[in-house]
Amino acid sequence: NNNQLVTLSTFADTLHNLIFEAPRHLTSLDLSFNGLAALPHAWGDLPLQALYLHSNNLRDLDEAQKLRPLRRTLTALTLHDNALIQTPGYRHTVIALLPGLKALDFSTLTASDRADA
């Protein structure tokens, strides 16, 4: 985190190289406190369980849709301190999109959160 990143245009290629050149299971990725305005469309087959994207420049809730490939593995996600959280229905949309989430923005999800989604 705190890298002053403003784009992830080569993110998929970089992750592919990291995973195949240094075979590890990348389960947590912290990209918080950067300047990211867009997320990559491709996440590959990353087994990410935790993804920290808070304090970036994500403005459009459509960016969260790009996380759909992670729906089977992602259990913790942070998006707070991004403009997109001001979108009506933000929480419900993200919870419905990622049914395996257990925590959103450092808050544990409840049965009520899931029912509302």
Side-chain angles (χ1 to χ4, degrees):
N1 69 2
N2 288 306
N3 295 302
Q4 304 302 314
L5 298 173
V6 293
T7 182
L8 291 176
S9 61
T10 60
F11 182 69
D13 292 335
T14 301
L15 282 179
H16 180 271
N17 290 337
L18 281 172
I19 290 172
F20 289 106
E21 305 236 346
R24 298 180 193 170
H25 295 286
L26 182 62
T27 59
S28 181
L29 182 60
D30 188 343
L31 294 170
S32 61
F33 295 100
N34 285 290
L36 300 175
L39 298 176
H41 288 280
W43 290 91
D45 294 326
L46 293 176
L48 284 178
Q49 295 173 5
L51 180 58
Y52 305 104
L53 295 168
H54 57 279
S55 300
N56 275 287
N57 288 324
L58 300 170
R59 300 186 179 286
D60 192 335
L61 192 54
D62 287 342
E63 290 303 314
Q65 297 291 334
K66 295 176 183 177
L67 300 174
R68 191 166 182 73
L70 302 173
R71 71 186 174 277
R72 290 188 178 97
T73 59
L74 201 62
T75 59
L77 173 66
T78 62
L79 290 166
H80 63 277
D81 292 332
N82 282 287
L84 65 78
I85 69 164
Q86 301 302 320
T87 306
Y90 153 74
R91 244 178 115 68
H92 301 300
T93 300
V94 173
I95 293 167
L97 178 70
L98 301 166
L101 276 185
K102 295 180 180 173
L104 177 59
D105 297 330
F106 294 122
S107 294
T108 302
L109 298 179
T110 66
S112 177
D113 290 325
R114 294 192 187 287
D116 291 344

